[in-house]
Each structure stands twice: as structure tokens, then as C-alpha cells.
Amino acid sequence: MWMLSFIPDTWLYTAVLSILFGGMAVYVIGTACRFIPTLVFYKAPLQAIGLMAIIAGVYFYGSYDTEKVWRQRVADLQVKLDQAATESQDLNQKLSIERQKKQQVIINRQIVYRERIKEIEKRIDQACVLDPEVPRILNDAATNPFTPPAVPAEENTQ
């Protein structure tokens, strides 16, 4: 049935109606043959052929109608797909802007912690003994800047 999509609609409709009305004409001619004595022998075959053509025409007409319904559904879905593509493009642009904002927050945070580490660097002595502030700064730098801060344990017990 997918090959029907290559045939123009008017040709399909014309072919279906030709089969249907041609079958009707052959059936009527077969019925009229009983009045002509020399053609009486052709009555039954012509009526059978006409009846088969009518049945085929009705079947093809139903198939054609189904094909039209599916083509309309495809056209409707194509419109929805185009709308979704434009919405997706807009949302991707907004997402890119949000991502750039978050990236800028991370970069700014890195700069702040680098400066804090440079200030603490002067307190580190030659024996590589760390100031207690250094691990705290490194732990703070490793936390996610987009999650809310955790409540300390001693505040939870109250």
C-alpha cells in the first residue's frame, strides 16, 4: 500500500471509480443479454465478472478512503513535528543560556577559592604543616554550588 503514495490522488480516485462503475456497467450488460437470444450464453459470465468488479471497486474505494485518512494523519503529525522542532530549538537556546550562567558561577567560584588558597599559602610553613583552614577551603571548593547548604549536625539535634 505504501506504493500508492507515489500515485497522485486524482488518478487513484479515477481508477477506483472506473472499476466500480465499469463493474456496474458490465453487470447491467450481462443482465440485458437475456433479452438478446444470441447473447444469452454470455449472461452468467458477464454478470459474474461485473459482480467481481463491483466488489473489487467497493473494496478499493474503502482502501482509498483509508489511504486518505492516513495521509491526513501524516500531514497533521508533520505539522505537530514542525511545531515541536521550533519549540525544541527555543528550549535548547534557553538551556544553553542557563548552562552558560551556571558555567560562569563555577568559574567565578574557582577564582574565589584560588584567591583564598593564595592567601592561606603564606601560612603554610617549610615543614609542610597545613593550616587547618586549608582542608576546609578545599572541601568547600569541592561542594556543588547549586545545592542548598547542609545544616550542620549540632543544629539538627535541637
Side-chain angles (χ1 to χ4, degrees):
M1 291 309 266
W2 62 270
M3 293 189 312
L4 291 178
S5 63
F6 296 119
I7 301 172
D9 285 341
T10 55
W11 290 9
L12 277 176
Y13 190 66
T14 304
V16 167
L17 290 182
S18 297
I19 292 171
L20 183 62
F21 290 124
M24 287 179 187
V26 170
Y27 186 80
V28 169
I29 290 171
T31 305
C33 283
R34 73 179 179 170
F35 298 114
I36 304 170
T38 57
L39 299 178
V40 170
F41 298 111
Y42 298 111
K43 175 187 165 209
L46 285 176
Q47 283 181 334
I49 291 171
L51 190 59
M52 286 190 290
I54 290 170
I55 291 171
V58 169
Y59 177 78
F60 290 148
Y61 190 78
S63 296
Y64 173 73
D65 191 44
T66 304
E67 179 73 17
K68 283 189 340 187
V69 168
W70 280 109
R71 286 183 186 188
Q72 184 60 39
R73 285 183 183 177
V74 167
D76 293 343
L77 287 177
Q78 186 64 40
V79 168
K80 287 182 181 179
L81 183 67
D82 292 341
Q83 289 174 350
T86 57
E87 289 176 11
S88 173
Q89 189 176 16
D90 294 341
L91 291 175
N92 281 340
Q93 193 173 25
K94 289 178 183 177
L95 183 65
S96 176
I97 290 170
E98 287 297 318
R99 186 179 158 274
Q100 288 174 353
K101 287 179 183 177
K102 287 186 176 188
Q103 189 69 25
Q104 189 60 40
V105 167
I106 291 171
I107 290 172
N108 289 343
R109 187 174 167 160
Q110 287 174 351
I111 292 171
V112 167
Y113 281 109
R114 282 182 190 154
E115 293 300 320
R116 285 178 61 188
I117 288 174
K118 284 181 184 177
E119 291 173 11
I120 299 286
E121 181 182 42
K122 299 172 187 167
R123 292 191 232 165
I124 299 174
D125 62 355
Q126 298 257 340
C128 290
V129 176
L130 291 178
D131 189 310
E133 186 70 21
V134 174
R136 195 171 312 126
I137 291 172
L138 290 174
N139 287 338
D140 288 343
T143 59
N144 187 354
F146 303 109
T147 57
V151 180
E154 56 255 7
E155 289 182 17
N156 276 341
T157 58
Q158 293 177 354

